[in-house]
Each structure stands twice: as C-alpha cells, then as structure tokens.
Amino acid sequence: MKEMVSVEQVKNFTKRKLLFLIAQSKENTAVLAELRRGVGKIPGELPGLSGYFMEGMPEAFFGQAEPSRAEWAVYTALTLFALHQQGNAIDGELMYEEGSSIGKAISKLVKREEDRERIRRRFNSVATSNSIEEIAYYLRGIIQMLRNEKIGVDYVALSGDLYLFQFPELRPQVRLRWGQDYYGSLTKREEKDLIEEEEK
C-alpha cells in the first residue's frame, strides 16, 4: 500500500495529541500511567490504549492488516513520552522539550570522559536499528536514562523521525541527522569548555 501521509501531518497530529495528553494528565495522572503500559507493545495490542493515540487520527493514517508507519510513529512517540514523564511533575518537569532532538538529548548524557564510549554505544544501537520494533526497544533504554537525568526530548520531532525511519530509502538521512546532532552537540560543548578553561 502506498503511504499517502506526509511527515508534517504525522508531526502535527503528534503535537495535538501530546498537548492534549499534557493538559489531561494535569487533572488525571493515571492517563500517562495507562499509556506507559504500551511501551514495547505493537499499536493495537492493548485495545484500551487505542483512544489515546487514535482518537481524531486522520483515516489516511490507518493501516490495513497491520499498523501503518504513521500509527507506529505516533504510538511510539506518545508511549515513550509517558515513560519519560514518569516520576517528573508535568507542571515543573515537563520532559517534552522543543528543539531537543534525540541526538542532542543523548549527547547530554556524556557528563565525563569515561561516559563517552558507553553512551556512544547506546547511541549507535538506536541509530543502526533496522526496524521500528528494534528502534523502539533501544529507545526505551535511552529514555529511561534521559528520565533519570531529567533531560527532555522533542517528541514531535521524534515522531517525524520515526515515521521517516520506516522508509528504507530515507533511513540514512535520519541517521545522518541524528549523528550530526549527537556529535555536533558534543563538539560545541567541548569548544565551550575549552574557551572557559582558557579564560580562567
């Protein structure tokens, strides 16, 4: 089946759902707890969660015999956000941070020189995944690490990346951008530290 959905449609829909979830969870923290149950599952596997990501979804997003790329992207981004937000107050510690791509966010886990190789391996596990199930699995571990350090992620951007990642011909483009964000952020921080050291 030819995909008739644009990456911007996926991102716009994810943003609407994300903002709705954030507003809803201020009144009812069980909303995110329920959504967390879907981490690592296939969209539709837990029917009780369908409304959280499918309500209001354009019909063009719907898969036939199995979840579409768009459904996978939205579902994965929203369930990972719910996992990331666990233990962090929506009002004071929102883990959705615009502009913090997954590459930039992961780079912030490198606090000391001894972290570098360990985090690089984690980053490579995500970037070299070859299926949406595999990337969702590796992202789960990364998100738990980011949650512990209270480092936010742009889940709207992530949903767009996850959508494009599912097209084999576009996967290298996504990997390249993640690499640029990861290594570029590390380099900027190192240059800043060097300048500060020289100024002392």
Side-chain angles (χ1 to χ4, degrees):
M1 184 186 82
K2 190 175 186 298
E3 203 85 29
M4 300 300 292
V5 178
S6 74
V7 67
E8 286 309 313
Q9 285 175 293
V10 169
K11 286 163 69 175
N12 289 339
F13 180 74
T14 302
K15 186 166 191 174
R16 284 203 310 275
K17 294 305 282 186
L18 199 53
L19 295 178
F20 178 72
L21 274 175
I22 290 165
Q24 237 191 348
S25 61
K26 285 180 182 177
E27 303 298 321
N28 181 6
T29 53
V31 168
L32 291 180
E34 188 71 13
L35 201 51
R36 274 194 293 277
R37 291 176 51 233
V39 174
K41 303 282 195 299
I42 296 167
E45 190 175 335
L46 299 177
L49 302 186
S50 296
Y52 291 117
F53 76 99
M54 291 178 83
E55 190 174 342
M57 184 177 271
E59 201 173 320
F61 282 34
F62 295 160
Q64 301 301 314
E66 55 189 35
S68 69
R69 293 179 176 105
E71 286 173 308
W72 262 113
V74 173
Y75 176 84
T76 304
L78 295 179
T79 54
L80 287 174
F81 165 72
L83 177 67
H84 201 164
Q85 199 59 50
Q86 187 177 25
N88 294 306
I90 283 277
D91 283 330
E93 299 168 324
L94 184 62
M95 293 294 105
Y96 164 48
E97 184 184 334
E98 282 188 49
S100 181
S101 70
I102 197 69
K104 287 178 184 174
I106 296 172
S107 79
K108 292 176 188 171
L109 290 168
V110 180
K111 308 271 190 191
R112 298 170 299 278
E113 188 57 37
E114 54 266 33
D115 297 334
R116 185 180 290 272
E117 184 56 27
R118 178 176 59 90
I119 301 303
R120 188 188 66 80
R121 283 198 306 269
R122 290 284 198 142
F123 171 75
N124 285 346
S125 296
V126 173
T128 58
S129 298
N130 283 308
S131 70
I132 187 66
E133 293 94 339
E134 189 182 359
I135 200 169
Y137 172 79
Y138 285 116
L139 277 172
R140 178 183 189 165
I142 288 285
I143 294 303
Q144 288 168 325
M145 292 171 73
L146 293 171
R147 179 185 66 196
N148 295 341
E149 296 295 328
K150 301 194 184 302
I151 297 167
V153 168
D154 188 333
Y155 281 94
V156 172
L158 181 60
S159 71
D161 288 343
L162 291 173
Y163 179 63
L164 295 176
F165 196 88
Q166 294 172 81
F167 294 89
E169 68 276 16
L170 298 178
R171 202 168 289 159
Q173 173 188 318
V174 177
R175 286 175 173 151
L176 176 65
R177 190 167 61 253
W178 286 354
Q180 289 168 340
D181 286 349
Y182 177 75
Y183 290 104
S185 295
L186 280 181
T187 302
K188 273 184 197 167
R189 286 219 318 273
E190 284 165 0
E191 286 172 349
K192 183 172 175 280
D193 290 346
L194 195 61
I195 290 166
E196 286 173 359
E197 194 62 37
E198 287 170 352
E199 287 175 348
K200 281 180 183 176

